[in-house]
Amino acid sequence: IDHSPALAAPIHAFSQFSAAAIAIANFASLFLGCFALMASSAVSLDMLASQKSLIRKNIKASLKTLDEREGTISELGAKANALLAQTQAFQSATTIALYVASERLREVPTRDAIANALALGKRVYLPRVAGDFAAGTATMRMLEVTRMDEIEAADETSTMKLEEPSTTLSDGITPRPDVEDEDAPPLHLVVCPGVAFDRSGGRLGRGAGFYDTFLCRMAKHAKHAPPRTLGLCFDIQVVDEVPRGEHDIVMGEVVTESTHYLSTK
C-alpha cells in the first residue's frame, strides 16, 4: 500500500467525510425513529382513550337499568358489603380508606362498610377533593372520620357533588387528620370505586386519575409499605378486559355482590 503524502491527504479527507456521513445518518435514523415512536405512542394513546370511552359508555348505560334488571342497588350493595367484610384484606386491616358512594353515579353503597369498619375499631379515611376540577388543579386527599355524622352532605354547587368528610374537627378549627400526614399510621387497605373492572384487577375510573395519583403517592411513601387495593363494584361492571395505560393502577382484589376476584398481576 502506498502511504506517500500525496495519497494521505485525500484518504484523511475521505475518512472525515465518511465519519460525518455516518454521524448524519445515525442522527437521521434516531430522529426518524423517535418521530415514529412518538407517532405510534400518540396513536396508541388515542386508541386507549377510545377503548376506555366505549367501555364507560356501555357500563353507564347498563347501570341505568340495574334496578329493573337485577334488583335494587341497595339490595345488591348490601350483598357486596357483606362479601367485602368477609375478605381477609378487610378483616386484617386496622386502617382502611373507603369512599362515600354516589347515588347519582350508581356506585356500590358503602355506608354499611364504613359503619362496620368504625364499629370494629378500624381507623377509617374517606376521600375529599380539593382544588379546581375544571382548571385541572384538583387533588384527592384521604381524611379520617371517627363517626358517621362527620360526613358532610353533597355540595350541589360543586363539580363533583359528592358526600365528603368535613375539613376540620368538631371545633371547626383543627384540621382533620390526613392519611398522608407525617405522623399518620400506615394505610393497610384502599377500597376503590370505578366504572369497570376485570377479573385480573384492571380498573377503569372516571378519567380524573384521582385514585391512580393517590395510590402512586402512597406507593412512594418514605415510611410505609404500599396499601392493599380492592375494587368494589356490581357484577355488571366486570368486563373481560380493561384497557390499561402505563399509569393505570391494578387492583389486588375485586369484590362484587356475588364474587371475590384475586388479581393475577
Side-chain angles (χ1 to χ4, degrees):
I1 301 173
D2 188 350
H3 295 287
S4 65
L7 290 175
I11 290 175
H12 178 67
F14 178 77
S15 297
Q16 288 183 316
F17 173 78
S18 298
I22 292 172
I24 293 171
N26 286 339
F27 174 79
S29 176
L30 179 62
F31 175 80
L32 291 173
C34 289
F35 180 80
L37 180 60
M38 287 188 291
S40 175
S41 298
V43 171
S44 298
L45 288 174
D46 287 344
M47 185 178 297
L48 182 67
S50 177
Q51 292 172 341
K52 288 183 175 183
S53 178
L54 180 60
I55 292 177
R56 288 191 181 102
K57 179 180 178 181
N58 291 339
I59 294 297
K60 288 177 181 178
S62 297
L63 286 171
K64 287 181 180 179
T65 63
L66 186 63
D67 286 348
E68 293 79 10
R69 293 197 299 108
E70 300 187 40
T72 67
I73 284 182
S74 60
E75 290 174 354
L76 297 179
K79 293 178 181 179
N81 276 255
L83 193 52
L84 168 65
Q86 295 172 18
T87 64
Q88 191 273 337
F90 182 90
Q91 292 179 353
S92 64
T94 59
T95 53
I96 178 171
L98 285 151
Y99 65 93
V100 186
S102 167
E103 184 176 340
R104 176 177 59 86
L105 298 176
R106 291 182 173 261
E107 294 174 330
V108 173
T110 50
R111 283 188 171 271
D112 287 350
I114 295 169
N116 183 29
L118 290 172
L120 291 171
K122 300 179 187 293
R123 296 187 68 170
V124 175
Y125 296 85
L126 300 176
R128 185 177 182 98
V129 176
D132 189 339
F133 182 80
T137 60
T139 59
M140 185 181 76
R141 314 297 300 184
M142 286 288 180
L143 306 183
E144 185 175 11
V145 298
T146 57
R147 304 190 314 270
M148 294 299 291
D149 62 6
E150 292 174 344
I151 302 172
E152 295 182 331
D155 180 0
E156 293 303 319
T157 65
S158 68
T159 303
M160 303 299 291
K161 297 182 177 63
L162 300 174
E163 294 180 282
E164 299 175 305
S166 58
T167 57
T168 60
L169 299 181
S170 57
D171 61 9
I173 300 173
T174 307
R176 187 168 295 282
D178 188 313
V179 76
E180 295 180 74
D181 287 343
E182 185 65 25
D183 59 349
L187 182 60
H188 295 148
L189 175 65
V190 181
V191 177
C192 304
V195 176
F197 295 86
D198 62 33
R199 296 168 184 80
S200 60
R203 172 183 177 271
L204 177 62
R206 300 187 182 279
F210 287 141
Y211 276 90
D212 290 326
T213 302
F214 170 73
L215 291 170
C216 280
R217 292 200 307 268
M218 296 307 295
K220 297 175 182 177
H221 200 290
K223 289 185 177 180
H224 308 310
R228 296 171 72 171
T229 52
L230 186 151
L232 189 62
C233 68
F234 296 113
D235 280 334
I236 62 170
Q237 293 175 270
V238 178
V239 299
D240 290 337
E241 183 177 7
V242 169
R244 300 176 193 170
E246 60 178 329
H247 300 297
D248 293 329
I249 302 295
V250 178
M251 300 288 99
E253 306 170 48
V254 175
V255 167
T256 71
E257 69 269 24
S258 69
T259 310
H260 178 201
Y261 302 99
L262 293 175
S263 173
T264 57
K265 65 176 180 178

